[in-house]
Amino acid sequence: MTAHLIDFQHAAEAKRWQAINDDVMGGVSLGNLQVQDGVGVFSGETSLENNGGFASVRREREAMDLSGAPGLLLDVRGDGRRYQLRLRTNQLFEGAAYRALFQPPTGEWQRLALPWHEFEAVFRGRRLEDAPPLDPAALRQVGLLIADRRSGPFRLELEWIGKMNGQESK
């Protein structure tokens, strides 16, 4: 049994997410998260115009101690594009995050296991070489980002995000 940390069965969950797109630096990409029929839908359109190319959403800050779990599980359906699950902690400076990349197949529900060792510290798309490894006891925020250097529409559906229990394999 998976412990769900974030469950999109509740329509109010959408209000807990905020879009942060490349318009913060002059780009014109658009993205947001809505709940449709119990599924979180991160969708929009990326554009490489004006040196842009990313769209993201972040959930409101909430301390989560996941020290007992080996990683996170996502129940997702994608569009063939590559996404990032981003985790923020108090270990890094403001704006930096830990990311894990994933690319679910088009139109097919898939359960993805993302162990902690797959998360790398980044700032504005660049790896932070001297950052400490992710501390699962220090999680403060969860987010999604698309920045695959492609223009066009995107759609990632999530049923839930939960804790791995150690029995999953990638």
Side-chain angles (χ1 to χ4, degrees):
M1 180 74 183
T2 302
H4 294 189
L5 301 170
I6 299 170
D7 192 335
F8 294 98
Q9 291 297 314
H10 309 286
E13 180 64 34
K15 294 180 176 67
R16 301 183 73 179
W17 294 77
Q18 173 188 5
I20 299 170
N21 300 312
D22 60 16
D23 58 349
V24 297
M25 49 177 261
V28 294
S29 298
L30 297 171
N32 65 20
L33 187 132
Q34 300 175 325
V35 173
Q36 300 172 358
D37 299 322
V39 174
V41 180
F42 173 44
S43 64
E45 187 160 348
T46 51
S47 170
L48 302 179
E49 289 181 41
N50 299 340
N51 296 314
F54 78 87
S56 73
V57 289
R58 291 183 199 161
R59 194 171 189 256
E60 64 191 21
R61 291 182 182 270
E62 177 183 6
M64 289 183 242
D65 181 353
L66 300 181
S67 52
L72 291 175
L73 285 176
L74 286 76
D75 228 16
V76 297
R77 179 165 58 186
D79 54 7
R81 293 183 70 176
R82 189 178 67 214
Y83 294 87
Q84 299 178 23
L85 181 66
R86 290 188 154 228
L87 304 176
R88 293 180 185 274
T89 70
N90 54 11
Q91 298 172 265
L92 303 175
F93 56 87
E94 187 61 35
Y98 291 92
R99 76 168 176 207
L101 303 172
F102 62 97
Q103 190 167 350
T106 303
E108 192 177 303
W109 283 103
Q110 183 178 49
R111 183 160 300 165
L112 295 176
L114 298 174
W116 301 131
H117 66 83
E118 289 191 16
F119 287 86
E120 61 181 359
V122 294
F123 179 67
R124 295 187 178 159
R126 291 188 175 83
R127 244 180 126 230
L128 297 173
E129 297 298 333
D130 297 330
L134 172 64
D135 177 1
L139 296 184
R140 298 288 177 265
Q141 192 173 46
V142 175
L144 296 164
L145 182 134
I146 183 167
D148 60 359
R149 298 187 182 99
R150 285 177 44 198
S151 289
F154 66 88
R155 180 180 176 94
L156 177 70
E157 298 173 78
L158 295 100
E159 284 196 322
W160 49 262
I161 298 173
K163 294 191 248 185
M164 284 175 62
N165 62 21
Q167 307 302 310
E168 301 84 2
S169 59
K170 185 132 185 181

